[in-house]
Amino acid sequence: MLMSLFAIIAGFVLLVWSADRFVDGAAATAKHFGMSSLLIGMLIVGFGTSLPEMVVSAIAASQGNSGLALGNAYGSNITNIALILGVTALMAPMTVHSRVVKKEIPLLILIGLFSGWQLLDGELSRADGIVLLVGFFALIGWTIFTAERNGDALGKEMDSELTVHAMPLTQALFWTGIGLVLLVISSRILVWGAVNIAHELGVSDLIIGLTVVALGTSLPELAASIVAANKGEHDIALGNVLGSNMFNLLAVAGIAGTIHPLAISPEVLSRDWVVMIGLTVTLLLMAYSFRSKERHINRVEGGFLLASYVAYTGWLVVSVLK
């Protein structure tokens, strides 16, 4: 048990550190080869915060741990909205622009509904996974197209960061390679520890994926959102969470399903999917305003989201103890 706990803790620490190194190296490398700040922000940094979920779920799926793979994706979405946005709003009320209400959140709801429809037959097949990946690449294309038309705060932020923290090409390539290798190694360590803990405690790997693994792989989103909120960059903080949730439903679940068909436990659809969609709709209601083009997610609403996360986690614990 102690060895497994150490593997989880060490895996989390190494996972977050290696993801950060990979993003820094890949962004600097892309800059050296002339990629625009917009594409760096959208693709590399957007991928970067979801890399832990992608790699962990891919490895879990390849080893036949379907509960861990899908639990990580859905659990991360619940954690992103309830815990991360809850904590961020408690720190400072978040301004929500009308574009987010009209486009991003409704799109996330539609993707969530589609993902639920795919689970109705009790399996996420390879065909389902491929469809999700096609949707993911379509989302990337749409995001880049709209950002080029309307401007992109993350791209501007990346341009400033890459100018201030310039990195030689050889160093950038080194950190890209090292970061990628350590991402895979740390994910294997984490999955091994999580599966062992699940077996030793007599709980399903789904529960471990929804709680421990989902929380750990969401640490990059938590860090990025808190930093953005402290700088007053609410667009980046909220966009980071919404983008990550779309990535999780399309890319993380899609990659896992394509690698190995995933058997779906009934509670995934009746409990976890319902909570995820419910929180997303709640976020839309919080963000909607009849009076102006801007709305704030205030501290009271942030507290409600955080309380929802505590209640959901408590629900999972009670279900294990029954």
Side-chain angles (χ1 to χ4, degrees):
M1 177 74 82
L2 288 177
M3 189 65 181
S4 299
L5 284 172
F6 177 76
I8 290 177
I9 295 171
F12 278 147
V13 172
L14 188 57
L15 188 69
V16 173
W17 184 84
S18 58
D20 191 47
R21 296 286 76 76
F22 173 81
V23 169
D24 287 346
T29 300
K31 190 70 173 176
H32 277 288
F33 285 101
M35 182 181 285
S36 70
S37 298
L38 169 65
L39 291 178
I40 293 173
M42 288 289 180
L43 300 181
I44 296 176
V45 178
F47 265 109
T49 55
S50 293
L51 265 176
E53 288 93 341
M54 290 181 187
V55 180
V56 168
S57 287
I59 289 175
S62 69
Q63 296 178 355
N65 300 115
S66 59
L68 185 59
L70 200 60
N72 180 33
Y74 280 24
S76 292
N77 278 18
I78 292 168
T79 301
N80 285 347
I81 294 177
L83 176 63
I84 294 177
L85 286 186
V87 169
T88 305
L90 281 173
M91 291 176 57
M94 301 176 62
T95 301
V96 183
H97 296 290
S98 59
R99 185 192 75 253
V100 174
V101 179
K102 292 178 181 178
K103 294 181 180 180
E104 275 85 350
I105 302 179
L107 178 59
L108 178 57
I109 292 173
L110 287 175
I111 294 172
L113 291 173
F114 179 74
S115 70
W117 175 78
Q118 285 189 318
L119 303 184
L120 289 175
D121 61 356
E123 181 187 38
L124 187 70
S125 65
R126 280 198 173 92
D128 291 332
I130 292 171
V131 169
L132 290 175
L133 289 179
V134 170
F136 170 69
F137 288 113
L139 172 67
I140 290 294
W142 176 80
T143 303
I144 292 172
F145 173 74
T146 55
E148 286 177 338
R149 290 179 56 189
N150 304 323
D152 176 56
L154 183 55
K156 294 176 182 177
E157 176 72 12
M158 281 304 304
D159 191 48
S160 174
E161 288 289 330
L162 290 172
T163 301
V164 173
H165 303 289
M167 187 184 297
L169 180 58
T170 53
Q171 184 180 352
L173 290 171
F174 172 79
W175 284 121
T176 302
I178 290 295
L180 188 58
V181 170
L182 291 181
L183 264 171
V184 175
I185 293 173
S186 59
S187 296
R188 285 190 175 276
I189 293 171
L190 174 58
V191 169
W192 177 83
V195 171
N196 278 1
I197 289 289
H199 290 165
E200 291 180 27
L201 294 178
V203 302
S204 68
D205 55 356
L206 172 64
I207 295 295
I208 297 296
L210 288 166
T211 53
V212 178
V213 177
L215 177 60
T217 55
S218 293
L219 290 177
E221 285 92 342
L222 177 60
S225 294
I226 289 176
V227 169
N230 284 335
K231 293 180 178 179
E233 295 166 343
H234 300 141
D235 277 351
I236 294 179
L238 186 58
N240 177 51
V241 165
L242 296 177
S244 176
N245 280 19
M246 293 181 196
F247 277 29
N248 288 340
L249 290 176
L250 295 173
V252 175
I255 290 171
T258 302
I259 290 174
H260 191 285
L262 305 179
I264 308 301
S265 301
E267 58 266 28
V268 171
L269 191 58
S270 63
R271 179 191 62 202
D272 310 313
W273 178 84
V274 170
V275 171
M276 182 187 70
I277 286 294
L279 283 170
T280 310
V281 172
T282 299
L283 182 62
L284 177 64
L285 296 175
M286 289 179 175
Y288 195 84
S289 174
F290 292 97
R291 298 183 300 276
S292 66
K293 292 184 178 181
E294 291 187 359
R295 174 74 167 88
H296 290 85
I297 299 177
N298 58 41
R299 286 189 172 90
V300 172
E301 292 164 334
F304 174 80
L305 291 175
L306 190 57
S308 299
Y309 178 77
V310 173
Y312 171 71
T313 304
W315 184 9
L316 294 179
V317 171
V318 170
S319 69
V320 169
L321 296 177
K322 283 183 179 180

